[in-house]
């Protein structure tokens, strides 16, 4: 009997301590604060409904639209006009291809649950924190007609420079958290552009291995360089030697396939980089592929003080602004490929 009484007593003490422990954890101020801070600006279940993003930041407004699961950057006021020879369309595009990964990252921040503790709930705090309608930057997420899925105002950073203050439009509650949004809000329009001249090179469907011949027509009417695949080697025409260094040629062709512009050229100025008939200052690159197709880049004469050139790709409605250093790497001396 004494043994049983001790067992019951000890069991009761253990049970009582267990209850105390559980209550301590449940009502611990830090844990309560963490649960209160855990927040998501947009429930992830709405992500598939998103068809447009509007970003209003220091450099102006950018509108991103999704069509058939592909994102584009809307072009502001692009007028319709003939494209230069070498581009694949007779009309100026209304949208430019967007960087899908960049948009996915932004939506991930907005839909991922994280630490966003409440910092204020009074309208009086909005002006101090840069969250008035007039002062704040803005990210609007749309999904079809009607009210937006999310209309988010972004204000000042905190004194540490690490966190940012945010609130939903039409609500007084202000939350703060790690500032991972300013890079998207403050970025230029071109930061959203997908500027690779041959987008297929990103997924490997267009690689150096399928290029059978490359012909480079330099500016100023110089003789072209012709690289022709011969098994595991390259031959070269237009040079004093016939067999170039294979690694150098592969690296050169890979650069051409992966080349990116600095910006898209609007319809209003696209024609300035190209003339009909072609000027002596223009150049051209022609790629003949293993599937029998031919891809080419027409590169216009140097523009302005930056010597930037316009580049038009066959089969594409887009014209790209190409940095002068990129053009210099395309038009190289034959001797640079010598073994």
């Amino acid at each position: 009997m004494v043994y049983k009484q001790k067992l019951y007593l000890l069991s009761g003490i253990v049970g009582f301590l267990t209850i105390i422990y559980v209550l301590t954890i449940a009502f611990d101020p830090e844990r309560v604060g963490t649960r209160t801070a855990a927040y998501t600006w947009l429930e992830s279940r709405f992500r598939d409904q998103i068809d447009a993003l509007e970003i209003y930041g220091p450099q102006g407004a950018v509108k991103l639209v999704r069509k058939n699961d592909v994102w584009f950057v809307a072009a502001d006021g692009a007028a319709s006009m003939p494209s230069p020879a070498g581009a694949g369309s007779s009309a100026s595009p209304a949208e430019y291809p967007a960087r899908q990964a960049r948009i996915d990252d932004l939506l991930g921040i907005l839909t991922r649950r994280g630490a966003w503790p409440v910092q204020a709930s009074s309208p009086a705090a909005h002006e101090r924190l840069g969250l008035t309608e007039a002062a704040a930057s803005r990210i609007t997420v749309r999904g079809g007609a009607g009210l937006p899925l999310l209309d988010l105002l972004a204000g000042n950073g905190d004194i540490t420079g690490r966190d940012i203050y945010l609130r939903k439009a039409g609500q007084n509650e202000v939350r703060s958290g790690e500032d991972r949004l300013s890079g998207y809000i403050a970025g230029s329009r071109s930061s959203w552009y997908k500027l690779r001249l041959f987008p297929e090179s990103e997924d490997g469907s267009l690689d150096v291995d399928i290029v059978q011949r490359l012909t480079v027509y330099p500016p100023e009417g110089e003789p072209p360089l012709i690289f022709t695949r011969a098994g595991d080697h390259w031959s070269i025409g237009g040079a004093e030697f016939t067999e170039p260094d294979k690694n150098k040629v592969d690296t050169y062709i890979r650069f051409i396939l992966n080349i990116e512009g600095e910006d898209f050229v609007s319809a209003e100025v696209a024609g300035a980089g190209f003339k009909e008939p072609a000027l002596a200052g223009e150049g051209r690159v022609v790629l003949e592929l293993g599937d029998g197709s031919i891809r080419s880049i027409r590169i216009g004469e140097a523009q302005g003080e930056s010597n930037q050139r316009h580049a038009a790709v066959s089969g594409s409605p887009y014209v790209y602004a190409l940095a002068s250093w990129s053009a210099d790497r395309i038009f190289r001396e034959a001797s640079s490929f010598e073994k």
Side-chain angles (χ1 to χ4, degrees), residues 198 200-214 227-234 245-258 287-291:
F198 296 112
E200 312 95 306
S201 63
E202 290 187 347
D203 61 12
S205 59
L206 180 58
D207 195 12
V208 63
D209 293 336
I210 66 172
V211 176
Q212 300 300 307
R213 178 176 293 178
L214 170 68
F227 301 87
T228 304
R229 185 182 295 278
D232 292 333
H233 304 280
W234 290 98
D245 186 297
K246 181 181 184 300
N247 289 332
K248 291 181 180 178
V249 176
D250 285 347
T251 300
Y252 172 63
I253 295 176
R254 191 170 288 111
F255 164 75
I256 291 176
L257 296 178
N258 294 326
L287 294 148
E288 299 178 46
L289 308 180
D291 60 4

Side-chain angles (χ1 to χ4, degrees), residues 198 211-218 224-228 234 252-253 256-257 283-289 292-299 312-314 330-331:
F198 296 112
V211 176
Q212 300 300 307
R213 178 176 293 178
L214 170 68
T215 306
V216 181
Y217 298 89
L225 289 180
I226 304 172
F227 301 87
T228 304
W234 290 98
Y252 172 63
I253 295 176
I256 291 176
L257 296 178
R284 194 156 52 96
V285 176
V286 179
L287 294 148
E288 299 178 46
L289 308 180
S293 63
I294 298 175
R295 306 294 300 275
S296 65
I297 309 172
R298 182 180 174 186
I299 301 172
V313 181
S314 60
I330 292 173
F331 302 116

Side-chain angles (χ1 to χ4, degrees), residues 12-136:
I13 293 173
V14 170
F16 176 75
L17 292 174
T18 301
I19 293 172
I20 295 297
Y21 178 72
V22 171
L23 292 175
T24 301
I25 293 177
F27 293 99
D28 178 70
E30 290 188 3
R31 290 181 176 270
V32 172
T34 300
R35 289 198 301 272
T36 303
Y39 185 77
T40 181
W41 295 103
L42 179 65
E43 294 292 336
S44 58
R45 68 177 184 273
F46 294 120
R47 186 158 176 167
D48 290 340
Q49 301 178 28
I50 299 172
D51 58 20
L53 287 167
E54 297 165 11
I55 301 171
Y56 305 89
Q59 299 199 48
V62 177
K63 183 175 182 180
L64 307 165
V65 294
R66 186 167 74 168
K67 298 181 177 181
N68 298 321
D69 287 331
V70 178
W71 284 95
F72 297 88
V73 182
D76 280 351
S80 178
M81 67 169 288
S83 297
S89 173
S90 60
S92 176
E95 297 100 14
Y96 295 117
R99 294 171 57 189
Q100 314 292 311
R102 181 173 170 82
I103 296 173
D104 287 342
D105 290 344
L106 172 58
L107 293 179
I109 295 170
L110 298 176
T111 57
R112 188 180 305 117
R113 189 167 296 276
W116 295 98
V118 176
Q119 300 295 346
S121 57
S122 169
H126 295 172
E127 184 172 359
R128 174 173 56 86
L129 300 176
L131 284 170
T132 61
E133 295 273 344

